Amino acid sequence: MESRRSVDGSESSSSAVTVVTSATSSCTDPWSSSISNGGWVEEEEEDDWDHECEAQRGDDDMMLVPKLEPMDDIDMADLSDVKEGIIPETPETSSSTSTPAQVKRPRGRPRKHPKPSPEALAKVAKGRSKTGCITCRRRKKKCDETKPGCTNCEKNSVICEGYPEKTTWKSGKEKGEEARLRRATSITISTMQLPYLVHGVETEGDRMFLHHYISRLSSIFTLEGENDSAFRNILLPMAQQHSGLMHSILALSSKHIDYTSPYGLQILHEHPNVDVKMLEERSQFHHDEAFKELTCRKSEEVAVSPATYAQMICFVLQTLSDKKPNGSHRLHLQYYQKLIQENPPAEETEFTKFIHEFFQYHICADQLIHLPQGDVHFVSIPDDWNLPTTVLQPSAVRLLGVFDGLFLYMSKITNLRNKIRHNMEHNIDPVIDYRAFYAAAEIDAGIREWTPAWPAGDPRDAAGMLYRQMMWIYLWRTINPPQVTNWKPDPKNKIKQAVDDGLELLSRFGARDPSQTLILAPAFVIGCAAFEEYQREPIRKAISVVKSYMEYKNTDTALEVLEEVWRLMDAHDEQSWDWQSIAHRMGMDFLAT
């Protein structure tokens, strides 16, 4: 065999023996020159191949001689370079026939796995589809992926369950970042707080205080009862617009609850999440906030707002709960008088009437206990019998003695009492001069002519008669000091009969009668004239009933002062006449309301 030429035309150093097929096989070139160079072996000259084929065609079998091939694979890029560098040979001329020139094929056999072309690499390999509907994937059927339901399920009369939610593959770093953002978002959401609907009502204890004010406390301050209480119908709606007033109401309500009483123990049992210490701390918080709001409003307001007066009312009533009263209520009463003189209300409304009635009642009632200090021995009430211009006389009032004019007699008696005390302290004789006697006679006539504003049979009518009885006893005790009577018994038993009649009126009031809110003052004054031992026990009982209804500690204080007055009475001590001085020495400056 001839040596095979190399691709570049030089003689190859190694001999290559071709495979000779049997006689039945075709001698046609099995490797067509039309195949691409990338996966084929270089092609030999056509003349040599034909010659060999003719020489071997007659034989039946032929031995296979191994062909030595280059061991290294030929790079596709190198083959393309070689192809471009091939110099076509000029075919030899033959005398018989001429064979047309053919393009040489590349050397070597075609690759079993040819290297992919760049175009093939650019194509995305298609795997098994995972976007079919849930039903087809479960049934392992081909899905045509029609939205919203595939037609394949429809053709097979099955319910298409739709398509699973598309998920995007994410790296571990991306998943970690998403988890961190979720945690941060959850923390932010968990720390979001809704604002409180009612200012000041923020805890379970605050809700307890508000419920106690609405259901119990607001109905015990006036004669109206729970259905028409000004503390509920006027003050509470106003508190929704004024934070200071709401703090004042909550402080007032919290100070009123006695946690050692059956009612207080029941409240603690119904609210196991709170204890007495928590409630007391919250109560002090409301008191401090209310006082702060009140002082700021006083300094900023040009005209006094109704909320300021309402806060002052709450502070006055709050002193009724003090275990050791020190007269702090008087600061608010005096400030009210100052405001009324400097800034009288422009118009008379239902609320202003209520404000004036409340303060005038407590100012007059304060005179029963308060001892003027220093040279101030007289109450600043003008000596006239006309009602103030801001006070009316309606047929129905919330408190007794103000709009009906009865408390003006109390002020007159207190003025007279202070003059007598002054004469006794300075040894002025006579202790009761003609002016004092004449004033007493005028007061006595006025009390006898006074009638309650309510019809007969009304519980408030009975309360009016009780106050009338109290006024006469207060007048008798004032103009009959021991220095004048020398402890001689009343020959006609006037004071004894008056006290017995007063005890009879006290016994007519039920334990839950709204008039109990007014009973403490007459019970105290009548008790200061109870010279007989049998008259004192009904007084103790009446005060205990008031305590059960009002649940205020000033009832204990009033009874304690009375016990000292009775002790001095039994000892025939002249000091028993001046119970204001007795209360002052005991350090008990309280309101008997």
Side-chain angles (χ1 to χ4, degrees), residues 295-448:
T295 54
C296 293
R297 186 175 293 114
K298 285 180 179 179
S299 60
E300 295 175 358
E301 287 181 341
V302 177
V304 182
S305 66
T308 300
Y309 286 116
Q311 275 196 265
M312 293 166 61
I313 289 177
C314 293
F315 275 108
V316 169
L317 294 175
Q318 189 174 325
T319 62
L320 303 181
S321 301
D322 294 341
K323 295 180 180 179
K324 295 182 178 180
N326 55 8
S328 58
H329 62 276
R330 198 167 296 110
L331 298 175
H332 303 286
L333 298 179
Q334 293 173 351
Y335 191 73
Y336 159 79
Q337 292 176 309
K338 178 176 179 294
L339 292 178
I340 288 299
Q341 293 175 0
E342 295 177 354
N343 298 298
E347 58 180 352
E348 198 73 25
T349 63
E350 182 182 3
F351 178 73
T352 57
K353 292 177 183 178
F354 165 69
I355 290 294
H356 297 321
E357 183 180 17
F358 177 88
F359 279 103
Q360 291 292 346
Y361 175 87
H362 286 83
I363 288 172
C364 294
D366 184 48
Q367 301 168 12
L368 296 175
I369 307 298
H370 175 52
L371 176 67
Q373 299 297 313
D375 295 332
V376 182
H377 291 279
F378 307 104
V379 179
S380 57
I381 298 293
D383 290 330
D384 58 65
W385 300 100
N386 297 322
L387 295 175
T389 57
T390 56
V391 178
L392 305 177
Q393 300 186 47
S395 58
V397 294
R398 293 183 173 90
L399 294 171
L400 193 146
V402 178
F403 285 160
D404 51 27
L406 183 62
F407 271 16
L408 291 178
Y409 299 112
M410 180 185 288
S411 298
K412 291 294 183 177
I413 298 173
T414 303
N415 276 341
L416 182 61
R417 189 177 187 83
N418 290 336
K419 291 177 182 178
I420 296 174
R421 182 187 296 111
H422 175 77
N423 294 338
M424 293 171 57
E425 291 175 354
H426 293 82
N427 297 321
I428 298 175
D429 191 38
V431 175
I432 303 175
D433 56 14
Y434 69 94
R435 288 185 294 267
F437 271 113
Y438 181 77
E442 289 289 335
I443 295 172
D444 178 65
I447 294 175
R448 293 173 183 279

Side-chain angles (χ1 to χ4, degrees), residues 39 68 79 81 100 117 133 155 157 178 262 280-281 285 310 329 335 355 388 442 463 492-494 517 542 560:
L68 299 179
L79 290 178
D81 295 340
S117 63
C133 70
K155 291 178 180 179
S157 299
E178 287 186 354
E280 289 178 347
E281 291 177 352
F285 165 78
H329 62 276
Y335 191 73
I355 290 294
E442 289 289 335
K492 294 185 179 181
N493 294 326
K494 293 180 182 179
T517 190
E560 189 174 351

Side-chain angles (χ1 to χ4, degrees), residues 27-201:
C27 293
T28 307
D29 187 0
W31 296 321
S32 175
S33 59
S34 62
I35 301 177
S36 174
N37 298 350
W40 298 90
V41 184
E42 182 181 6
E43 193 176 88
E44 293 187 75
E45 292 182 2
E46 188 68 20
D47 295 344
D48 296 339
W49 180 262
D50 295 339
H51 180 71
E52 288 182 0
C53 187
E54 289 292 335
Q56 300 296 334
R57 186 171 298 177
D59 299 333
D60 294 333
D61 293 313
M62 193 69 182
M63 293 181 60
L64 297 177
V65 181
K67 180 181 179 181
L68 299 179
E69 297 276 8
M71 298 301 295
D72 296 333
D73 291 338
I74 301 174
D75 190 32
M76 303 296 285
D78 295 340
L79 290 178
S80 62
D81 295 340
V82 171
K83 181 177 179 180
E84 291 176 0
I86 294 178
I87 301 174
E89 293 185 11
T90 304
E92 296 180 358
T93 57
S94 175
S95 59
S96 60
T97 58
S98 60
T99 304
Q102 297 182 0
V103 181
K104 292 182 176 289
R105 62 179 175 81
R107 292 185 60 189
R109 292 194 299 270
R111 291 180 179 273
K112 185 176 182 180
H113 301 290
K115 287 187 176 182
S117 63
E119 293 80 3
L121 289 174
K123 296 180 179 180
V124 179
K126 292 186 178 180
R128 183 176 180 180
S129 175
K130 296 183 180 181
T131 58
C133 70
I134 297 174
T135 306
C136 290
R137 293 184 65 183
R138 186 173 60 251
R139 298 176 65 236
K140 297 182 180 180
K141 300 294 182 179
K142 181 174 179 61
C143 180
D144 58 8
E145 301 183 11
T146 303
K147 304 293 177 65
C150 74
T151 56
N152 188 22
C153 292
E154 184 179 352
K155 291 178 180 179
N156 290 277
S157 299
V158 295
I159 299 175
C160 181
E161 300 178 19
Y163 298 85
E165 183 180 357
K166 292 184 178 180
T167 56
T168 306
W169 182 90
K170 296 179 181 179
S171 64
K173 183 178 180 180
E174 292 174 332
K175 293 179 179 179
E177 181 66 18
E178 287 186 354
R180 186 189 66 80
L181 292 176
R182 282 195 300 268
R183 288 194 300 269
T185 304
S186 63
I187 293 174
T188 303
I189 294 175
S190 62
T191 55
M192 293 174 61
Q193 297 290 336
L194 293 174
Y196 294 104
L197 181 64
V198 181
H199 184 84
V201 184

Side-chain angles (χ1 to χ4, degrees), residues 232-252:
R232 181 191 300 173
N233 300 337
I234 298 179
L235 264 64
L236 197 58
M238 190 184 301
Q240 299 178 16
Q241 306 299 327
H242 298 274
S243 59
L245 180 55
M246 180 58 71
H247 284 298
S248 299
I249 288 176
L250 296 177
L252 172 64

